[in-house]
Amino acid sequence: MSNKSNRYYGQLPKIGIRPTIDGRRNGVRESLEEVTMNLAKSVAKLISENVSYYNGEQVECVIADTCIGGVAEAAQAAEKFAREGVGVSITVTPCWCYGTETMDTDPSIPKAVWGFNGTNRPGAVYLAAVLAAHNQKGLPAFGIYGKDVQDVGDTEIPEDVQEKLLRFTKAGLTVAMMRGKSYLSMGSVSMGIAGSMIDESFFQEYLGMRNEYIDMTEFVRRFDKEIYDIEEYDLALKWVKENFKMGEDNNKDTHKRTDEEKEKDLETSVKMTLIARDLMVGNPKLEEIGYGEEAMGHNAVAAGFQGQRQWTDHFPNGDFMEAILNSSFDWNGVRSPYIVATENDSLNGVTMLLGYLLTNTAQVFADVRTYWSPDAVKRVTGHEVEGKSKNGFIHLINSGPAALDGTGKQRKDGKPVLKPFWEITEQEVKECLDATLLRPASTEYFRGGGYSTDFLTEGEMPVTIARINLVKGLGPVLQIAEGYTVDLPESVHDTLDLRTDPTWPTTWFVPNLTGEGVFKDVYSVMNNWGANHCSMSYGHIGADLITLASMLRIPVNMHNVSDEKIFRPSAWGMFGTADAEAADYRACTNFGPLYR
């Protein structure tokens, strides 16, 4: 399978562009045909040049065959979009049009309307009218209105309009990509973690996804019957031995596994990686060896591995498997990540999935482990924190799937970044691997042995942590914190890191403070985090997450995104403009889940 092929069943969703027009003939419509269609072509060009699918292909746009001047042409466009696999709808116009006759009425497709800010035949008037129609019909749509007046015939897209078009498109594609795919639970509930108690109604009604399940004994069956590509296994094991540095065994002598056991653990860990991937997306090689059903996979765009404790008390842990699958590379070269949540925390897995589909970059799964105040750091290390760390920081660390991209060894303009896989060089893969130690697992936690990946994330990267939580009677809520990774002096890092398990990857994180509410200080951010896990994405993507959450009707309970970047459907303003957070809750409650 090519690294740029579509690994999931179903075609990649396309963006549908709907040029709407004043339907009056004998001069009015005729004078606007070319201008309107050219506007649609400009939007299609902007999107295809700036947005990519998860596999690196440019996003495909489909333009209606004709301008849409009434219900007949609206129906023709809808029929074409259904045939072409359109999952996101953008209506554009430079002029007045007939609102309810030309609007997109598909309730499950995210939709936006750009009404050209002009004075001749103002599209902004149509924008206001058609958004009112969407709101009245309960079909929330995003309104895009440029700040500056343009001349009729100008097909240049202003920067503020570009920003909203691209933000809407990325979020809409995320919605469309999840629809009809699966979340695969490999095992069940881990150590009583509520996030691994799968809420099927959440997946079905809010995300449009299926839930699939396998018992962890399926791994044992595939071990015993060799239901994996043996040639690939040999390649993978050789690659791991040649590319990973083995780190110190941190276990007490009485808890150390023998060299023979460690070798077996490594072999099993590599097999687990192959098997988990095949369970998610299938593998045609399995049909060649007589396992046609297994070759199909579960069409899982995300998965979770229970591991603890039923598996890890006897078998090697899933740390290596999760870390490699979530990374943007393996023995086959660079490729898009497979989203796998440790401890089968499906809610963190979904949050990882949202960040991944928005950015096309690997996600870092972590515990929101410890808030270190400046006083506590000084007491323990004697060091006085400064710079971005001056108000304290949060230790993000977990044994599980912190993608190796999270080392920060990929570079852009000399700065540490996380890149889409198609931009990652072989040298950057090598540097990520060189910055990682493969450490024998802590057998007090993992009695069956295994390996954990140990690295330290480079500082000065803009990142966003996020988490979806479920609340009885309320449903899902999303929390967001933009901030930066930070560097600590080596001696300080070592002292703090050794206070927990040093065999796991560490990220030191500082949220951006606003001086208000939860973001008045770092402690309050930590104290208000809704669960023990978070997903970390590269870049400040809080505004994109807010737009996406509104499409899914998931309210945002905390964020530090500036007001001018918040972009939600027009209807949200009808629920109040003075308190956007409260209005968000009311709007999400009123409209309900997207797929109910």
Side-chain angles (χ1 to χ4, degrees), residues 4 10 13 37 64 78 120 148 240 305 345 353 384 401 425 431 448 505 548 560-561 578:
K4 283 200 171 186
M37 189 58 77
N120 186 20
D148 297 319
V240 170
F305 182 71
D345 183 352
L353 179 60
E384 193 158 330
T425 67
E431 290 184 10
L548 173 57
N560 54 351
V561 178

Side-chain angles (χ1 to χ4, degrees), residues 173-453:
L173 275 177
T174 299
V175 172
M177 269 300 302
M178 291 189 293
R179 187 177 183 182
K181 307 297 192 306
S182 304
Y183 177 89
L184 174 63
S185 294
M186 297 182 285
S188 183
V189 180
S190 173
M191 301 184 298
I193 293 174
S196 58
M197 300 172 185
I198 308 302
D199 188 312
E200 288 212 357
S201 62
F202 165 63
F203 279 90
Q204 177 182 324
E205 296 180 4
Y206 283 89
L207 309 177
M209 290 177 64
R210 296 172 179 264
N211 292 94
E212 293 281 291
Y213 304 88
I214 60 108
D215 190 279
M216 287 183 293
T217 55
E218 177 63 8
F219 281 82
V220 181
R221 183 178 80 95
R222 296 195 184 205
F223 292 157
D224 293 348
K225 294 183 177 294
E226 294 188 327
I227 307 175
Y228 51 86
D229 184 341
I230 294 176
E231 290 183 4
E232 185 181 5
Y233 163 70
D234 292 338
L235 170 69
L237 184 62
K238 181 174 183 288
W239 181 85
V240 170
K241 289 181 176 181
E242 289 177 350
N243 288 278
F244 274 94
K245 299 176 182 176
M246 289 294 172
E248 180 184 355
D249 188 338
N250 209 51
N251 293 295
K252 301 173 185 176
D253 288 341
T254 53
H255 288 74
K256 279 184 169 71
R257 292 170 70 78
T258 66
D259 289 343
E260 292 77 13
E261 287 174 321
K262 289 178 183 176
E263 176 67 19
K264 182 68 174 176
D265 288 350
L266 186 60
E267 294 172 359
T268 301
S269 295
V270 173
K271 291 176 184 177
M272 288 170 64
T273 307
L274 295 173
I275 290 168
R277 182 203 63 196
D278 292 350
L279 282 163
M280 290 179 70
V281 301
N283 185 346
K285 291 284 187 179
L286 302 186
E287 186 166 18
E288 296 176 13
I289 58 174
Y291 293 98
E293 182 181 358
E294 290 84 350
M296 300 293 288
H298 291 266
N299 202 31
V301 72
F305 182 71
Q306 175 190 342
Q308 299 185 76
R309 287 185 42 208
Q310 287 86 336
W311 179 267
T312 56
D313 278 4
H314 185 62
F315 292 100
N317 64 12
D319 289 7
F320 173 83
M321 170 189 75
E322 294 160 355
I324 289 295
L325 288 175
N326 278 287
S327 298
S328 298
F329 50 83
D330 60 19
W331 42 87
N332 293 316
V334 293
R335 46 89 178 135
S336 54
Y338 298 86
I339 299 301
V340 183
T342 196
E343 293 155 353
N344 195 26
D345 183 352
S346 64
L347 298 179
N348 215 58
V350 168
T351 312
M352 294 169 69
L353 179 60
L354 302 184
Y356 162 56
L357 292 176
L358 281 172
T359 65
N360 293 325
T361 58
Q363 304 294 293
V364 174
F365 183 113
D367 274 359
V368 185
R369 181 63 66 98
T370 311
Y371 162 64
W372 280 99
S373 69
D375 290 342
V377 174
K378 189 168 186 179
R379 176 181 63 82
V380 170
T381 68
H383 176 71
E384 193 158 330
V385 291
E386 55 187 9
K388 287 187 174 70
S389 304
K390 66 181 179 181
N391 297 306
F393 47 83
I394 295 173
H395 192 178
L396 304 180
I397 179 174
N398 186 284
S399 69
L404 303 189
D405 307 58
T407 55
K409 295 302 180 182
Q410 298 160 21
R411 288 289 187 273
K412 187 171 184 178
D413 299 327
K415 297 178 181 178
V417 299
L418 274 69
K419 294 180 178 179
F421 79 88
W422 58 88
E423 295 180 6
I424 298 173
T425 67
E426 288 186 18
Q427 180 61 30
E428 288 169 332
V429 170
K430 182 179 185 303
E431 290 184 10
C432 289
L433 291 166
D434 287 346
T436 304
L437 292 176
L438 203 55
R439 301 283 294 270
S442 298
T443 52
E444 289 182 353
Y445 289 113
F446 307 115
R447 298 174 186 175
Y451 286 90
S452 298
T453 48

Side-chain angles (χ1 to χ4, degrees), residues 199 201-203 205-207 347 350 467-479 549 552-557 584-585 588-589 593 596:
D199 188 312
S201 62
F202 165 63
F203 279 90
E205 296 180 4
Y206 283 89
L207 309 177
L347 298 179
V350 168
R467 164 79 185 187
I468 288 177
N469 299 292
L470 285 178
V471 181
K472 180 71 172 178
L474 174 62
V477 292
L478 174 66
Q479 52 190 166
L552 299 171
R553 320 287 164 73
I554 298 174
V556 178
N557 70 296
D584 182 31
Y585 273 80
C588 289
T589 299
R596 178 178 291 173

